[in-house]
Amino acid sequence: MRPHIELGGIDYTILVVYFLFVLGIGWALKRYMKTSTDFFLSGRSIPAWITGLAFISANLGAQEVIGMGASGAKYGIMTSHFYWVGAIPAMVFVGIFMMPFYYGSKARSVPEYLKLRFDEKTRGFNAVSFAVMTVFSSGISMYALAKLLGLLLGWNFHVSISVSAVIVLAYIYLGGLTSAIYNEVLQFFLIVLGFLPLVFLGLKDAGGWSGLQAKLAVVASSQHNLVGAPYASGAWSHSWSNMASAAANPMGVEWFGMVMGLGFVLSFGYWCTDFLVVQRAMAADSMASARRTPLIAALPKMFFPFLVILPGMIAIALTYHSGPGGFKLPPKDGSFDYDMAVPLMLEHYFPSGLLGLGLTALMASFMSGMAGNVTAFNTVWTYDLYQGYLNPGQSDAHYLAMGRWATIGGIAISVACAYVATQFNNIMDMLQLVFAFVNAPLFATFLLGMFWRRATGHGAFFGLLLGTGTAALHHGLTAPLGATSLFKGCWLYALTGGASDALKTGGWHQYPSEMAQNFWTAIFAWTVCFVATMAISLATRQRKTDAELTGLVYSLTPKPREEGLPWYQQPAILGAVVLAMTVALNLIFW
């Protein structure tokens, strides 16, 4: 057993002050939670700069801080594609094209928009699948926090899970979405302040960017691809130049799988349809503010690879170059426990005081991710499932009370999901798998629903059903290289033989990595949903009139006018600037 991190008095003081501040925000906002709209949508009264920071911070949970750091160690700078190919273009798209539909329709959730555009059964299917996804995502954050508390304080894993659940439950139960949003703004600044020193100290120790590249070349030559050959020297330090084939890079994906699977299906599916982030923009005080929300968030988001991926790259470089007693990632499942890259880097570089700030930043990321998912869950459960199917026609006070009970239930289910996350050595692998099942087919439904007036409710529902089923089928018949658990695939293929034999051979197809399997799961799910929705829509009758579809379909919706706004507040200009900066970053790290 490795020794626990020793915290000083000032470190504990910083942590305690942070927790008191978080709970204090919830307590202070409790008196303003008078209606269900206040609790679930903040009364649509939050200014754009706050919703913009909350938009990015809701995604800046353990999945990003720990998961991206882990992916930086496991896959290198190719992890930056989650930002420069995936997140930024999708955030621009949702701000310019999709927020007018969400905000203008006055829908209270993404499933409710699907009801307005299609029908009740499509809404119900998405509400159930989204609820499952949010509690899994919250459970992943809870698992990561429990690992951290075990490392810091030597706490039992089960006790750590319970403590993290109670803290998040307290401030969401009291202050609802508003409490979550204002805490997310606080957490954004804490994360930046806590991790910037880590990047500077680690990069200095590695000899700057050129020194890190040289060390990562040794990492590449020490690891082997599917055909048994070492990777090229730049496999961990170049984002595009090793993507001609899946065997040429540690992520095990070629350029098409990256652009289509991550850049288009998974990223657009997440940022454009995931109510977790859309909910933040829908809390804005006007349509213009709602459209600017993801664009404001995109500006700091594009620089986050330097904050969260770089520490993981430094960690793997030091693991291969440190002598006895130096920095080492702990082993797990025949490889490394990549999820421990960032926590152990904090321990390695930060003295007392600065360590407390860094660990508080980690705590903030976990709280942000958990709270974001739980607030999305309680809204969808209350509005789309409870009010829609189980108990309609009740008073607003009744639904406000149900929202608070749903918060308790969502936390409880998240605890169970945290134990499933123990099967993965990189939580980002598990998260993208969940997104491939839920967001990938949903994005196909949204594209057709918003831009093709002929799409019908029957087409949307059965397209979603077939797309999600395809994701399950593909995952059940394939496995990544080195898989040791049926949670990673081949669970369906194993029915024809032993589980160990199925995992060893990879079933129908063996992928070089979990991430490659996730990307192709998403591609198959999106394609089947898209094609099936079109075919079934053409074979069925459109039951909604053009008047009913106004405000829900692009061609039938008046375009938002932004007269009187200065140029720097106009979404089209902001989006063009953001995209130009993103292209430049891709070229610099080619």
Side-chain angles (χ1 to χ4, degrees), residues 24 37 86 107 134 159 182 205 261 546 550 560:
T37 302
T134 54
V159 173
Y182 280 100
D205 194 22
D546 284 356
T550 300

Side-chain angles (χ1 to χ4, degrees), residues 34-35 45 140 163 179 186 269 334 410 455 462-463 474 501 540 547 558 567:
K34 298 177 180 178
T35 69
S45 61
I140 291 171
V163 169
S179 177
L186 166 68
F462 288 106
H474 179 264
D501 291 338
T540 54
W567 67 268

